[in-house]
């Protein structure tokens, strides 16, 4: 999770910006807002936000040059880790927190394998479990809070952080917040073998009587109250509360009692899985979702497919990491293929776990021909990983040909559909596994993380994967995260059409301007035929696009004056912009450029704003670019 790391630049030290070339208008107050919001969460005042405001080019460069981590541990998680070290560790040690002993063991093994000067006994695991006489009897009804901490010498932090970041399997901030309170109250204790239960504890109570119904995740929500903020309020309630910023834990406490009933969470996860499966497309809470199933035609038309083929993970990276892990266990360790320029952590997973990776960063026809030649000569691979379309150049791989090669030469195909999303494209027939980051457009609200992996029942590896998952899959998706994800995703279907329309409108504004060098969008890509081959009848081209300019000065000016939220992530309900290459590849800009990813590229994730207002903001930014350059 991201968080606030920058301080505000004093107005008296303000350096002349493109804003100063225009008369002051109400809109120009945006400059003051920019200077005041650097480092704040996006959305503002959101305790579990997944993005942070970096509203100027200079802020992004400063972020990298000060060697700030591209991802950093959320404050809730870090505070809990520090307290665990204080109680179970010693001076010169740190801790990483994970949702299960199995994940912690994988982290420990990674640290010891990548820290040759560290003795294995110096890296140890502390498992924290509930300590209550009610735990044994209530375990079937109440969500169990547990944490596994990996404690290690500070010198091993880089390896520990690498596992945490690439695997995506660390605890969420909500789980850490919940468990930290339990730990501080004595409700979580170290597991030393068989559990010994002590006196009753409030952390395992049933909660107020009005929350004990198990038929719905959100008993207070009606079908029309679909867009709520982090606190569980409707927009009207937010206005009445005058900016109330209660923690999400209070939302859960008030609606479900302190401890979540398993049935609440089970219903939420079932609704999420059905939405991902495409069998639930109406805007309804879980109680209604169980009733309306079957009233619509499923989106994923693959024979034998159902929600039982959908697996939930704590994050999108966790879905990718564990898909690679399960394939490696089931098929044996082999090199993988990364086809197309990927999200950087996907490439790192394939390079650091297993025998390595064959990387085709251009994702071109020539790359496929080279791969086919290698296969003909006898080389064999575990799986080919690709995005559809890719990030940030929005190229679409030739899935028909990739599927053909996979069938002939025996490798799995794993497709990340996060950017395309299943409302726009249908890629499951070409994949053995489809992965996605639910954190992005599926949620939209930028306040909860999640991921999914779905299996194709027609895959030659289907039975192998199912059997392997029986022993290797742990549902580590935290209860509160599932509840927020379910709530956020209820109107997922209705949001996509608006986002598609807005993105195309912005593309038209950018494409027709003389300062714009290139607009990257699936509709205008040379690879559009490959995209259209998978596009649904009513599908569009998605909400992500990138733009480059002829000079760095033009790119900087455009980004600085563009009146949108600015920060990492994508798929938010609001438009979110970032100098993507700087953030993702600052230390390897030349390497990225080898694959056509320019250093000055600006990536734009398009939201739900009014189309006229949104395009006007882009037109104004381009006007300022022209005014500055004098052309």
């Amino acid at each position: 999770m991201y968080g606030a790391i920058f301080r505000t630049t004093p107005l008296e030290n303000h350096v002349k910006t493109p804003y100063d070339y225009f008369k002051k208008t109400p809109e120009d107050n945006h400059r003051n807002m920019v200077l005041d919001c650097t480092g704040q969460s996006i959305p503002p005042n959101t305790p579990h936000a997944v993005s942070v405001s970096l509203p100027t080019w200079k802020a992004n460069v400063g972020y990298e040059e000060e060697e700030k981590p591209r991802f950093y541990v959320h404050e809730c998680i870090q505070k809990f880790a520090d307290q665990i070290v204080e109680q179970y560790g010693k001076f010169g040690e740190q801790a990483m927190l994970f949702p299960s002993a199995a994940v912690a063991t994988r982290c420990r093994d990674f640290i010891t394998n990548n820290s040759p000067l560290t003795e294995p006994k110096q890296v140890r695991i502390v498992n924290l479990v509930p300590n209550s006489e009610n735990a044994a009897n209530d375990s079937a009804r109440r969500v169990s809070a547990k944490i596994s901490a990996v404690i290690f010498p500070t010198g091993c932090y880089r390896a520990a952080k690498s596992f945490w970041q690439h695997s995506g399997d660390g605890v969420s901030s909500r789980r850490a917040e919940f468990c930290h309170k339990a730990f501080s109250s004595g409700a979580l204790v170290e597991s030393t073998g068989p559990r010994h239960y002590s006196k009753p504890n409030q952390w395992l109570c049933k909660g107020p009587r009005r929350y004990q119904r198990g038929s719905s995740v959100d008993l207070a929500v009606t079908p029309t109250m679909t867009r709520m903020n982090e606190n569980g309020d409707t927009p009207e309630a937010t206005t009445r509360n005058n900016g109330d910023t209660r923690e999400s834990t209070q939302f859960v406490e008030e609606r479900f009692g302190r401890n979540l009933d398993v049935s609440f969470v089970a219903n939420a996860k079932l609704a999420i899985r059905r939405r991902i499966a495409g069998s639930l497309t109406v805007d309804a809470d879980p109680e209604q979702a169980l009733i309306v199933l079957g009233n619509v035609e499923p989106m994923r038309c693959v024979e034998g497919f159902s929600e039982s083929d959908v697996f939930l993970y704590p994050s999108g990276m966790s879905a990718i990491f564990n898909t690679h892990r399960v394939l490696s266990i089931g098929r044996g360790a082999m090199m993988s293929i990364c086809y197309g320029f990927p999200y950087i952590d996907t490439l790192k997973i394939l390079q650091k776990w297993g025998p390595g990776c064959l990387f085709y960063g251009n994702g071109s026809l020539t790359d496929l021909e080279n791969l086919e030649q290698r296969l003909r000569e006898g080389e064999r691979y575990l799986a080919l990983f690709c995005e559809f379309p890719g990030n940030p150049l929005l190229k679409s791989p030739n899935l028909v040909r990739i599927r053909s090669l996979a069938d002939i030469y025996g490798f799995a195909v794993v497709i990340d559909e996060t950017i395309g999303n299943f409302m726009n494209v249908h890629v499951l027939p070409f994949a053995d596994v489809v992965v996605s980051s639910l954190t992005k457009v599926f949620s939209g609200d930028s306040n909860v993380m999640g991921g999914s992996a779905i299996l194709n029942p027609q895959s030659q590896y289907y039975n192998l994967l199912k059997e392997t998952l029986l022993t290797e899959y742990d549902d580590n998706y935290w209860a509160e995260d599932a509840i927020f994800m379910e709530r956020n995703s209820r109107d997922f279907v209705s949001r996509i059409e608006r986002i598609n329309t807005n993105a195309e409108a912005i593309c038209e504004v950018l494409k027709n301007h003389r300062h714009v060098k290139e607009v990257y969008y699936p509709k205008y890509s040379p690879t559009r035929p490959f995209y259209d081959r998978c596009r649904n009848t009513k599908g569009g081209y998605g909400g992500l696009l990138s733009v480059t300019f002829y000079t760095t000065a033009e790119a900087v000016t455009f980004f600085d004056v563009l009146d949108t939220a600015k920060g990492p992530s994508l798929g938010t309900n609001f438009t979110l912009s970032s100098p993507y290459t700087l953030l993702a590849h600052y230390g390897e800009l030349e390497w990225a450029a080898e694959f056509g990813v320019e250093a000055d590229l600006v990536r734009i994730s398009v939201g739900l704003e009014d189309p006229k207002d949104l395009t006007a903001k882009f037109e104004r930014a381009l006007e300022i670019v022209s005014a500055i350059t004098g052309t």
Side-chain angles (χ1 to χ4, degrees):
M1 305 281 269
Y2 299 92
I5 54 175
F6 282 96
R7 295 181 179 178
T8 303
T9 302
L11 287 177
E12 58 267 25
N13 295 334
H14 172 59
V15 178
K16 194 172 186 181
T17 74
Y19 291 97
D20 299 310
Y21 287 84
F22 283 77
K23 284 186 173 182
K24 297 298 180 186
T25 68
E27 182 182 356
D28 291 320
N29 289 328
H30 174 62
R31 176 174 70 88
N32 292 338
M33 181 187 72
V34 163
L35 293 174
D36 290 338
C37 73
T38 302
Q40 293 183 3
S41 65
I42 302 178
N45 302 317
T46 303
H48 302 282
V50 299
S51 188
V52 61
S53 180
L54 299 173
T56 65
W57 199 276
K58 183 178 180 180
N60 284 271
V61 172
Y63 176 83
E64 296 294 341
E65 290 188 344
E66 291 179 23
E67 298 184 350
K68 299 291 185 181
R70 189 162 54 90
F71 295 96
Y72 88 107
V73 180
H74 191 283
E75 183 180 22
C76 291
I77 302 172
Q78 191 59 59
K79 286 182 177 179
F80 190 13
D82 290 344
Q83 187 172 347
I84 289 174
V85 171
E86 183 178 339
Q87 182 160 336
Y88 296 104
K90 57 187 178 182
F91 180 78
E93 290 186 326
Q94 292 179 263
M96 282 284 181
L97 307 185
F98 298 95
S100 72
V103 177
T105 299
R106 290 195 284 272
C107 177
R108 181 193 62 192
D109 293 345
F110 183 83
I111 292 173
T112 55
N113 290 336
N114 289 273
S115 304
L117 299 181
T118 301
E119 293 289 333
K121 64 181 180 181
Q122 292 180 280
V123 184
R124 58 199 186 279
I125 298 172
V126 175
N127 296 309
L128 300 177
V129 297
N131 179 27
S132 170
E133 63 183 17
N134 294 330
N137 295 329
D138 258 7
S139 61
R141 298 183 56 202
R142 299 293 165 187
V143 174
S144 175
K146 59 181 182 179
I147 288 284
S148 292
V150 179
I151 300 177
F152 50 86
T154 297
C156 298
Y157 181 78
R158 185 171 182 178
K161 178 70 176 302
S162 181
F163 179 88
W164 175 83
Q165 177 178 323
H166 300 323
S167 74
D169 271 342
V171 298
S172 74
S173 54
R174 284 189 181 87
R175 182 193 284 260
E177 183 179 57
F178 187 101
C179 292
H180 191 185
K181 291 181 180 179
F183 180 73
S184 298
S185 72
L188 281 185
V189 297
E190 183 179 7
S191 173
T192 56
R195 298 185 189 180
H196 301 283
Y197 302 107
S198 59
K199 63 182 181 180
N201 188 282
Q202 62 173 338
W203 290 88
L204 289 168
C205 70
K206 294 181 180 179
R209 184 180 301 275
R210 65 184 182 277
Y211 297 118
Q212 293 176 18
R213 280 182 59 197
S215 59
S216 174
V217 171
D218 190 348
L219 301 176
V221 177
T222 64
T224 57
M225 295 167 57
T226 57
R227 304 313 298 159
M228 295 186 288
N229 64 17
E230 170 79 354
N231 308 312
D233 297 325
T234 62
E236 293 78 11
T238 301
T239 301
R240 290 194 302 271
N241 292 338
N242 193 26
D244 184 7
T245 58
R246 293 173 298 160
E247 297 288 333
S248 61
T249 49
Q250 186 170 341
F251 161 73
V252 175
E253 286 175 4
E254 292 183 355
R255 292 176 183 259
F256 312 114
R258 176 61 261 175
N259 271 298
L260 301 173
D261 193 296
V262 168
S263 61
F264 293 150
V265 182
N267 282 357
K269 290 185 178 181
L270 177 59
I272 293 170
R273 287 165 49 223
R274 285 182 171 175
R275 288 193 183 110
I276 296 168
S279 58
L280 175 60
T281 58
V282 296
D283 188 339
D285 66 22
E287 184 177 30
Q288 295 170 308
L290 299 177
I291 299 172
V292 301
L293 182 65
N295 293 345
V296 294
E297 182 180 352
M299 296 293 298
R300 300 192 192 264
C301 301
V302 172
E303 184 178 353
F305 178 74
S306 71
E307 71 259 14
S308 66
D309 297 317
V310 179
F311 296 82
L312 300 181
Y313 290 93
S315 67
M317 288 316 305
S318 176
I320 295 171
F321 176 84
N322 283 287
T323 295
H324 178 261
R325 186 177 67 84
V326 168
L327 278 167
S328 298
I329 293 172
R331 299 197 63 213
M334 290 185 280
M335 285 186 66
S336 293
I337 305 158
C338 184
Y339 183 79
F341 195 84
Y343 183 64
I344 188 62
D345 288 320
T346 300
L347 180 58
K348 297 300 184 184
I349 289 171
L350 303 183
Q351 291 174 335
K352 293 184 178 183
W353 279 267
C357 171
L358 179 61
F359 178 46
Y360 290 114
N362 289 310
S364 64
L365 175 62
T366 301
D367 289 340
L368 275 184
E369 291 174 346
N370 179 271
L371 173 60
E372 185 169 11
Q373 182 62 35
R374 288 173 176 266
L375 292 166
R376 285 175 179 169
E377 293 173 355
E379 294 186 16
R380 292 297 177 261
Y381 298 93
L382 176 70
L384 181 148
F385 288 73
C386 66
E387 299 175 359
F388 194 91
N391 176 23
L393 300 182
L394 287 304
K395 292 181 180 179
S396 302
N398 185 346
L399 296 185
V400 174
R401 187 170 180 187
I402 289 172
R403 181 72 264 167
S404 176
L405 292 175
D407 290 340
I408 294 171
Y409 296 103
F411 59 85
V413 177
V414 181
I415 302 174
D416 186 340
E417 69 171 11
T418 301
I419 296 173
N421 79 73
F422 68 84
M423 292 304 300
N424 289 324
V425 294
H426 184 36
V427 299
L428 185 58
F430 304 100
D432 297 281
V433 185
V434 173
V435 295
S436 183
S437 172
L438 306 181
T439 309
K440 310 303 192 298
V441 72
F442 187 80
S443 167
D445 277 342
S446 189
N447 64 1
V448 65
M449 300 180 73
S452 66
I454 66 176
L455 307 184
N456 183 347
Q458 299 302 308
S459 164
Q460 63 176 308
Y461 306 112
Y462 179 76
N463 291 332
L464 175 66
L465 290 170
K466 276 278 191 173
E467 291 172 5
T468 308
L469 285 165
L470 283 175
T471 57
E472 293 297 327
Y473 177 74
D474 286 326
D475 183 359
N476 289 323
Y477 198 30
W478 176 238
E480 292 169 297
D481 293 325
I483 287 172
F484 275 93
M485 182 64 73
E486 187 283 318
R487 184 199 68 182
N488 292 353
S489 64
R490 290 177 191 172
D491 63 351
F492 165 69
V493 172
S494 63
R495 284 186 275 121
I496 298 304
E497 183 177 357
R498 176 67 168 267
I499 289 172
N500 290 341
T501 300
N502 280 355
E504 291 199 30
I506 291 173
C507 282
E508 289 300 320
V509 171
L510 294 170
K511 278 173 57 63
N512 296 323
H513 199 275
R514 60 187 178 277
H515 291 292
V516 172
K517 179 180 177 182
E518 188 72 52
V519 173
Y520 298 95
Y521 189 62
K523 185 176 181 178
Y524 305 112
S525 171
T527 63
R528 175 176 173 174
F530 303 142
Y531 186 98
D532 285 343
R533 175 64 180 79
C534 302
R535 186 161 62 96
N536 292 324
T537 303
K538 296 182 180 180
Y541 294 92
L544 192 70
L545 60 102
S546 298
V547 59
T548 56
F549 296 83
Y550 288 101
T551 68
T552 299
E554 291 170 343
V556 172
T557 299
F558 173 81
F559 180 78
D560 283 354
V561 302
L562 182 61
D563 187 10
T564 68
K566 297 169 187 174
S569 197
L570 58 91
T572 50
N573 291 335
F574 47 87
T575 299
L576 183 66
S577 308
S578 71
Y580 175 80
T581 317
L582 289 185
L583 281 179
H585 303 285
Y586 191 78
E588 51 190 17
L589 295 176
E590 292 184 1
W591 173 81
E594 293 177 9
F595 304 103
V597 182
E598 297 185 16
D600 298 337
L601 178 144
V602 177
R603 192 186 71 179
I604 301 158
S605 175
V606 182
L608 297 170
E609 297 92 339
D610 177 81
K612 291 183 179 179
D613 292 343
L614 191 56
T615 53
K617 291 180 179 181
F618 281 82
E619 289 168 349
R620 176 163 173 78
L622 292 170
E623 288 174 6
I624 297 176
V625 172
S626 296
I628 296 297
T629 60
T631 59

